[in-house]
Amino acid sequence: MISRRQAAVYAAAFLALCLISVAHAQTGTMSVDKSWTRVAQQGGVGGVFLTLRNAGAQPDKLVSVNSPVCKSAELHTTIKDGDVMRMRPVPSIDVPAGGSAELRPGGLHVMLIGLSQPLVQGSKIPLSLTFERAGTVTVEVVVEAAGAARPAAQHAH
Protein backbone atom coordinates (compact mmCIF):
# COMPACT_ATOMS: atom_id res chain seq x y z
CA MET A 1 0.00 0.00 0.00
CA ILE A 2 1.32 3.48 -0.82
CA SER A 3 0.92 6.62 1.23
CA ARG A 4 -0.79 9.78 0.01
CA ARG A 5 2.60 11.42 -0.26
CA GLN A 6 3.95 8.61 -2.45
CA ALA A 7 0.82 8.78 -4.61
CA ALA A 8 1.33 12.54 -5.00
CA VAL A 9 4.97 12.01 -6.02
CA TYR A 10 3.95 9.36 -8.60
CA ALA A 11 1.21 11.62 -9.94
CA ALA A 12 3.64 14.54 -10.24
CA ALA A 13 6.17 12.35 -12.06
CA PHE A 14 3.48 11.11 -14.46
CA LEU A 15 2.32 14.68 -15.14
CA ALA A 16 5.91 15.77 -15.80
CA LEU A 17 6.32 12.98 -18.35
CA CYS A 18 3.08 14.03 -20.04
CA LEU A 19 4.23 17.66 -20.21
CA ILE A 20 7.59 16.66 -21.65
CA SER A 21 5.91 14.73 -24.46
CA VAL A 22 3.65 17.72 -25.25
CA ALA A 23 6.60 20.14 -25.20
CA HIS A 24 8.53 17.99 -27.65
CA ALA A 25 5.43 17.37 -29.79
CA GLN A 26 6.43 13.93 -30.92
CA THR A 27 4.47 10.72 -31.26
CA GLY A 28 6.18 7.59 -32.44
CA THR A 29 8.40 8.59 -35.36
CA MET A 30 6.49 11.81 -36.13
CA SER A 31 7.45 15.22 -34.75
CA VAL A 32 6.01 18.71 -35.24
CA ASP A 33 8.17 21.85 -35.53
CA LYS A 34 7.56 25.58 -35.92
CA SER A 35 3.79 25.63 -35.37
CA TRP A 36 2.25 29.09 -35.72
CA THR A 37 -0.86 30.98 -36.73
CA ARG A 38 -1.88 34.61 -37.19
CA VAL A 39 -4.08 36.97 -35.19
CA ALA A 40 -7.77 36.30 -35.98
CA GLN A 41 -11.17 37.44 -34.72
CA GLN A 42 -13.63 35.38 -32.70
CA GLY A 43 -16.18 33.77 -35.04
CA GLY A 44 -13.76 33.90 -37.96
CA VAL A 45 -11.20 31.52 -39.41
CA GLY A 46 -7.48 31.05 -38.96
CA GLY A 47 -4.72 29.14 -40.72
CA VAL A 48 -2.11 27.08 -38.87
CA PHE A 49 1.31 26.44 -40.37
CA LEU A 50 3.94 23.93 -39.23
CA THR A 51 6.46 21.32 -40.30
CA LEU A 52 5.83 17.58 -39.94
CA ARG A 53 8.91 15.34 -39.72
CA ASN A 54 8.86 11.55 -40.12
CA ALA A 55 11.95 9.82 -38.72
CA GLY A 56 10.45 6.40 -39.49
CA ALA A 57 11.14 3.89 -42.24
CA GLN A 58 7.48 3.93 -43.38
CA PRO A 59 5.46 6.81 -44.80
CA ASP A 60 2.71 8.26 -42.63
CA LYS A 61 -0.03 10.79 -43.16
CA LEU A 62 -1.80 13.45 -41.16
CA VAL A 63 -5.46 12.44 -41.26
CA SER A 64 -7.22 14.85 -38.90
CA VAL A 65 -6.80 17.87 -36.64
CA ASN A 66 -8.85 19.46 -33.89
CA SER A 67 -8.65 22.28 -31.38
CA PRO A 68 -10.89 23.47 -28.56
CA VAL A 69 -10.66 27.05 -29.91
CA CYS A 70 -12.84 26.37 -32.98
CA LYS A 71 -16.01 24.61 -34.10
CA SER A 72 -14.06 22.54 -36.63
CA ALA A 73 -10.57 22.16 -38.07
CA GLU A 74 -9.75 20.92 -41.55
CA LEU A 75 -6.71 20.07 -43.64
CA HIS A 76 -6.55 22.42 -46.65
CA THR A 77 -4.50 23.20 -49.72
CA THR A 78 -4.38 26.38 -51.76
CA ILE A 79 -4.91 26.16 -55.52
CA LYS A 80 -4.86 28.76 -58.28
CA ASP A 81 -8.18 28.99 -60.13
CA GLY A 82 -7.53 31.40 -62.99
CA ASP A 83 -6.30 34.57 -61.28
CA VAL A 84 -7.82 33.66 -57.91
CA MET A 85 -6.25 31.62 -55.11
CA ARG A 86 -8.76 29.26 -53.47
CA MET A 87 -8.55 26.99 -50.44
CA ARG A 88 -9.85 23.43 -50.72
CA PRO A 89 -10.13 20.67 -48.08
CA VAL A 90 -7.89 17.62 -48.53
CA PRO A 91 -8.48 14.22 -46.86
CA SER A 92 -4.89 13.87 -45.59
CA ILE A 93 -1.34 15.15 -45.87
CA ASP A 94 1.41 12.68 -46.77
CA VAL A 95 4.68 12.66 -44.83
CA PRO A 96 7.30 10.48 -46.56
CA ALA A 97 9.51 8.03 -44.66
CA GLY A 98 12.61 9.87 -43.48
CA GLY A 99 11.16 13.12 -44.81
CA SER A 100 8.96 16.06 -43.98
CA ALA A 101 5.91 18.01 -45.07
CA GLU A 102 5.71 21.77 -44.69
CA LEU A 103 2.36 23.43 -44.06
CA ARG A 104 2.79 27.09 -45.04
CA PRO A 105 0.91 30.15 -46.24
CA GLY A 106 -0.17 29.68 -49.86
CA GLY A 107 0.13 25.88 -49.65
CA LEU A 108 -1.00 23.07 -47.40
CA HIS A 109 -2.29 24.27 -44.02
CA VAL A 110 -4.73 23.63 -41.17
CA MET A 111 -7.90 25.74 -41.30
CA LEU A 112 -9.56 26.61 -37.98
CA ILE A 113 -13.24 27.35 -38.66
CA GLY A 114 -15.63 29.19 -36.33
CA LEU A 115 -13.14 30.46 -33.75
CA SER A 116 -14.65 30.42 -30.24
CA GLN A 117 -12.17 33.04 -29.07
CA PRO A 118 -9.94 35.64 -30.70
CA LEU A 119 -6.39 34.59 -31.53
CA VAL A 120 -4.26 37.19 -29.73
CA GLN A 121 -0.65 37.87 -30.73
CA GLY A 122 1.79 36.28 -28.29
CA SER A 123 -0.70 33.72 -26.97
CA LYS A 124 -0.68 29.97 -27.65
CA ILE A 125 -3.50 27.63 -28.64
CA PRO A 126 -3.64 23.82 -28.47
CA LEU A 127 -3.90 21.77 -31.67
CA SER A 128 -4.16 17.96 -31.80
CA LEU A 129 -2.85 16.23 -34.91
CA THR A 130 -3.76 12.62 -35.66
CA PHE A 131 -1.55 10.52 -37.91
CA GLU A 132 -2.55 7.29 -39.63
CA ARG A 133 0.34 5.29 -38.11
CA ALA A 134 1.92 7.37 -35.34
CA GLY A 135 -1.24 8.33 -33.43
CA THR A 136 -2.09 11.71 -31.94
CA VAL A 137 0.16 14.51 -30.72
CA THR A 138 -0.89 17.87 -29.26
CA VAL A 139 1.16 21.01 -29.90
CA GLU A 140 0.99 24.59 -28.70
CA VAL A 141 0.58 26.93 -31.67
CA VAL A 142 2.08 30.42 -31.25
CA VAL A 143 -0.08 33.33 -32.44
CA GLU A 144 1.95 35.77 -34.57
CA ALA A 145 1.05 39.20 -36.01
CA ALA A 146 -1.83 39.52 -38.49
CA GLY A 147 0.34 39.83 -41.61
CA ALA A 148 3.13 37.46 -40.58
CA ALA A 149 4.71 35.40 -43.39
CA ARG A 150 6.60 33.13 -40.98
CA PRO A 151 7.04 32.70 -37.23
CA ALA A 152 8.82 35.63 -35.58
CA ALA A 153 11.25 33.32 -33.78
CA GLN A 154 12.42 29.91 -34.81
CA HIS A 155 10.77 27.69 -32.23
CA ALA A 156 10.33 23.92 -32.13
CA HIS A 157 7.67 21.94 -30.28
Side-chain angles (χ1 to χ4, degrees):
M1 187 188 296
I2 63 173
S3 69
R4 283 186 179 204
R5 180 182 163 117
Q6 287 173 316
V9 169
Y10 293 141
F14 177 74
L15 179 59
L17 287 172
C18 290
L19 291 175
I20 288 168
S21 68
V22 170
H24 290 292
Q26 183 169 344
T27 182
T29 59
M30 294 297 302
S31 63
V32 181
D33 295 323
K34 303 174 193 157
S35 57
W36 65 284
T37 187
R38 296 179 181 127
V39 168
Q41 298 297 316
Q42 181 173 344
V45 298
V48 175
F49 316 104
L50 46 84
T51 302
L52 305 172
R53 298 189 192 286
N54 183 355
Q58 295 185 22
D60 205 341
K61 59 176 70 175
L62 178 62
V63 294
S64 69
V65 290
N66 65 64
S67 177
V69 303
C70 61
K71 289 182 183 176
S72 65
E74 297 177 352
L75 303 173
H76 275 213
T77 191
T78 306
I79 59 170
K80 189 168 183 176
D81 184 9
D83 292 335
V84 178
M85 299 300 285
R86 300 186 189 278
M87 291 177 270
R88 297 284 186 247
V90 294
S92 62
I93 296 174
D94 293 328
V95 188
S100 63
E102 184 180 3
L103 283 64
R104 59 182 172 71
L108 292 167
H109 59 280
V110 172
M111 182 61 71
L112 305 176
I113 301 167
L115 292 168
S116 58
Q117 66 187 53
L119 303 183
V120 179
Q121 185 173 355
S123 65
K124 296 178 182 178
I125 61 165
L127 180 72
S128 293
L129 300 99
T130 302
F131 297 92
E132 184 176 69
R133 294 181 185 272
T136 300
V137 63
T138 299
V139 299
E140 287 188 328
V141 178
V142 176
V143 180
E144 301 288 357
R150 67 180 75 64
Q154 296 299 317
H155 55 277
H157 294 281

